[in-house]
Amino acid sequence: MRRTALPAVVLVLGALLGACDGETVSFADARALADGVTSAIDGKAAKFATDVTAGAMRSKSQGQARVARAGTALAMTTDFLGEPLELRLVDKVVFAKVPESAREDVPSGKPWVKVSKNGTVGADPFSQVLGGSIDQLAKQNDPGRALDQVRRAGTLTESGHAELDGGSTEHYRLDVDMAALGGDLPAGLSAEALGELNGKLGKIPMEIWLDEAHRPVRITLDLAPVLAASGVPDAAMARIVTRYTEWDTRADIQAPPPEEIGEIPAG
């Protein structure tokens, strides 16, 4: 009896230990998380869809991104100014396809303009809002940038496993210290805007879900602290949710041809 029972006990204990090991996560701190995921997605491409909520405002974007340590390239379409806006991020430069309603403000009617992160000074509504807003809008979909912010300013607060869209994932919760990011701020925030909050904004919660290959399938940034620091009622919800799919996607993303790029004159 003992000879047959002992192997059975060993098997049961082994199964229990295996189950416990299976619940452990791959990364113990924010830096290890950022480094591990960056390595997992370097040189790979995925499709993405982003939902931005800020009180009553809703915005949706979709596209594809090719991630590389030297800089992510992405092509996307977003609902902006009441009509679809096409953006490309190539070699750290953002290009915007000018809506038909504003095309007459571009010399020779060229369809694309290069976006400056410092803002574009023009008299028309399109050029007034180009600048940092669209630059941030494009770059907030870059998982490499989000991971760099985690690496520099993130603190891991909780980790575990979770079912997401029918699949098993590793789930990480973090706090991102705004002061530690300097001028490279998420959610379209500028250093000037952060300064106007007079230090009221400390940390922003972030969540990251990873697949079995340590690739992000969802990244969520909670912007409620921004609204609260700005005096918006607590009931207002604000967050950015980006979903990544098909990490085996092939993405050939190029800058627009030079002959199609115009400049909006300063007003």
Side-chain angles (χ1 to χ4, degrees), residues 2-260:
R2 290 182 179 178
R3 291 182 179 178
T4 58
L6 184 58
V9 171
V10 172
L11 288 173
V12 170
L13 288 175
L16 290 174
L17 290 174
C20 293
D21 290 342
E23 291 303 312
T24 61
V25 294
S26 302
F27 308 109
D29 57 63
R31 177 174 289 276
L33 171 65
D35 290 345
V37 178
T38 297
S39 295
I41 63 177
D42 185 34
K44 294 180 172 59
K47 295 180 180 179
F48 66 83
T50 299
D51 295 315
V52 179
T53 303
M57 188 274 287
R58 302 287 189 276
S59 178
K60 293 182 179 293
S61 305
Q62 54 279 322
Q64 57 183 358
R66 186 181 67 247
V67 184
R69 293 180 187 272
T72 293
L74 64 82
M76 60 178 283
T77 302
T78 183
D79 49 3
F80 192 78
L81 296 179
E83 57 184 309
L85 177 65
E86 185 178 346
L87 303 175
R88 293 184 194 175
L89 171 63
V90 181
D91 294 331
K92 301 181 180 180
V93 177
V94 176
F95 301 89
K97 194 168 188 178
V98 184
E100 292 289 345
S101 58
R103 193 73 55 83
E104 62 184 15
D105 296 305
V106 181
S108 304
K110 294 184 178 180
W112 291 88
V113 292
K114 185 182 297 185
V115 178
S116 167
K117 65 180 179 180
N118 297 318
T120 301
V121 182
D124 62 283
F126 182 71
S127 61
Q128 287 290 331
V129 298
L130 266 178
S133 297
I134 291 182
D135 183 76
Q136 290 277 41
L137 181 62
K139 293 178 180 178
Q140 75 185 14
N141 294 288
D142 174 8
R145 182 174 183 241
L147 292 168
D148 184 55
Q149 292 171 341
V150 167
R151 182 181 295 106
R152 292 186 289 118
T155 300
L156 184 63
T157 60
E158 186 180 344
S159 61
H161 290 255
E163 288 287 320
L164 183 66
D165 298 329
S168 178
T169 67
E170 290 187 6
H171 181 203
Y172 296 86
R173 297 180 186 271
L174 308 105
D175 284 335
V176 179
D177 186 352
M178 294 294 97
L181 289 179
D184 183 22
L185 301 175
L189 294 173
S190 65
E192 292 77 12
L194 184 62
E196 291 175 0
L197 294 176
N198 297 319
K200 296 178 182 178
L201 182 60
K203 297 179 179 179
I204 290 183
M206 177 186 286
E207 295 181 68
I208 300 177
W209 288 260
L210 305 179
D211 65 13
E212 70 283 351
H214 299 154
R215 302 169 302 192
V217 293
R218 184 180 298 182
I219 298 178
T220 298
L221 194 64
D222 184 356
L223 304 182
V226 178
L227 296 189
S230 303
V232 177
D234 294 339
M237 182 180 71
R239 63 178 183 172
I240 299 175
V241 180
T242 304
R243 298 171 176 83
Y244 295 95
T245 59
E246 300 181 40
W247 274 103
D248 56 351
T249 295
R250 291 183 176 272
D252 182 20
I253 302 169
Q254 304 291 335
E259 63 273 15
E260 295 185 9

